[in-house]
Amino acid sequence: MALHKVFDRPAALTDALYAYCPGCTHGIAQRLFGEVVEEMGLIERAVAVIGSGCLSASRQVFNFDTVKALHGRAPSVATGIKRAHPELLVFTVQGDGDLAGIGAADVIHAATRGERISTCFMNNATFGMTGGQMGPTTLPGQKTTTTPDGRDPLLDGHPVRITEMLAMAQGAAYVARTALNLPTNVIRTKMAIRRAFETQLAGLGFSVLEILSACPTDWHLTPVEALRWMEHMIAAAPLGELKVPEGRAR
Ligand SMILES: Cc1ncc(C[n+]2csc(CCOP(=O)(O)OP(=O)(O)O)c2C)c(N)n1
Ligand code: SF4
């Protein structure tokens, strides 16, 4: 019986080893970006602008151009590249701390201006790389190193619903939230990455994709427990397409 290889590494990814903790779902997103870039025939035209945090490791894995931006500044760097080279596919790869914390102003103004870029951020409800401090999207009651008794909205504020905020920007054309906790949601995430890129290439405006991601290390959970815990994140911020370009069915 002849053996056929049915699963391979996309040409848009190098053979570098992933640098994430066991059970971290950041690597799944990284692979999906590679698959979509390759399937859309964009390896020669893609530029990923990488923010701060654990996702910085994407630079070694993407087999297309990357630029490292200062913490939170990826949408502004992406704007400059896209305006100078409108023929390129330019997307950011950020964490929730990067996009919704220090970079909140950059992304809101890029969305309002309707920049033809795609911003993609992995929301793991914590500052992963720096040791699990409370982040902008940490859930009420969630324990972190800086909220050891759980986030108290009265003391620590409420989570930032940045995706909903961005959906209100007139220049935002495609806004979606997906998750990496189940195989079906991984497939939906891939579809959403593709739709964000298609929105950009059709010149329809700004696109943003929030991808819920597990951080078993800083949540102090096993990988399986972490995937289950993501149900709390989904309950607090439901999945789906919040905004699609006019005339395009959801
Ligand atoms: C101006 C600045 N302040 C602080 C830091 C330290 N820093 C590096 S990564 C990071 C947190 C990243 O968290 P997040 O964006 O949520 O990504 P994750 O690591 O969770 O994937 C911080 C605060 C920095 N690099 N630059
Ligand atoms: S600290 Fe969290 S986000 Fe960073 S690699 Fe480990 S599991 Fe992933």
Side-chain angles (χ1 to χ4, degrees):
M1 189 179 70
L3 294 177
H4 299 284
K5 201 173 201 176
V6 293
F7 189 79
D8 208 348
R9 194 177 273 249
L13 300 181
T14 68
D15 56 6
L17 293 177
Y18 286 15
Y20 304 116
C21 307
C24 178
T25 50
H26 278 0
I28 300 175
Q30 208 169 256
R31 177 172 172 110
L32 296 179
F33 287 123
E35 288 181 3
V36 175
V37 165
E38 182 179 4
E39 287 166 18
M40 292 178 76
L42 294 168
I43 294 178
E44 300 299 325
R45 285 168 59 195
V47 181
V49 183
I50 317 285
S52 290
C54 292
L55 285 154
S56 306
S58 305
R59 293 194 68 197
Q60 287 79 49
V61 175
F62 289 153
N63 204 11
F64 45 85
D65 285 340
T66 62
V67 177
K68 177 81 177 72
L70 288 176
H71 203 351
R73 307 293 163 247
S76 302
V77 174
T79 295
I81 296 169
K82 183 71 180 183
R83 286 193 178 199
H85 293 282
E87 74 284 5
L88 298 179
L89 171 83
V90 186
F91 66 100
T92 73
V93 178
Q94 302 176 258
D96 58 289
D98 189 76
L99 181 130
I102 195 167
D106 284 58
V107 74
I108 286 173
H109 289 284
T112 304
R113 293 193 307 268
E115 299 294 345
R116 270 67 169 161
I117 58 171
S118 305
T119 51
C120 306
F121 74 105
M122 261 46 84
N123 177 3
N124 56 18
T126 189
F127 285 110
M129 178 179 255
T130 45
Q133 297 88 348
M134 186 188 89
T137 57
T138 296
L139 299 186
Q142 184 182 339
K143 290 185 178 174
T144 70
T145 55
T146 48
T147 55
D149 297 323
R151 181 178 192 159
D152 177 356
L154 287 176
L155 286 175
D156 310 311
H158 295 273
V160 177
R161 298 286 292 270
I162 191 83
T163 302
E164 278 75 2
M165 289 164 67
L166 293 171
M168 289 168 63
Q170 269 182 300
Y174 181 75
V175 180
R177 182 186 293 113
T178 62
L180 298 172
N181 61 326
L182 297 170
T184 45
N185 285 337
V186 172
I187 292 166
R188 288 192 185 114
T189 300
K190 183 172 175 181
M191 286 166 57
I193 293 172
R194 194 175 177 114
R195 296 193 90 174
F197 289 179
E198 285 170 352
T199 300
Q200 177 186 156
L201 295 178
L204 298 173
F206 180 86
S207 44
V208 59
L209 174 60
E210 173 180 354
I211 304 173
L212 302 184
S213 191
C215 178
T217 299
D218 286 324
W219 295 350
H220 304 284
L221 297 175
T222 66
V224 172
E225 288 168 346
L227 292 178
R228 292 201 185 111
W229 191 84
M230 286 175 71
E231 301 284 342
H232 298 294
M233 298 171 76
I234 294 169
L239 306 181
E241 291 179 318
L242 284 73
K243 195 172 188 182
V244 295
E246 262 173 51
R248 312 223 165 181
R250 282 173 193 246

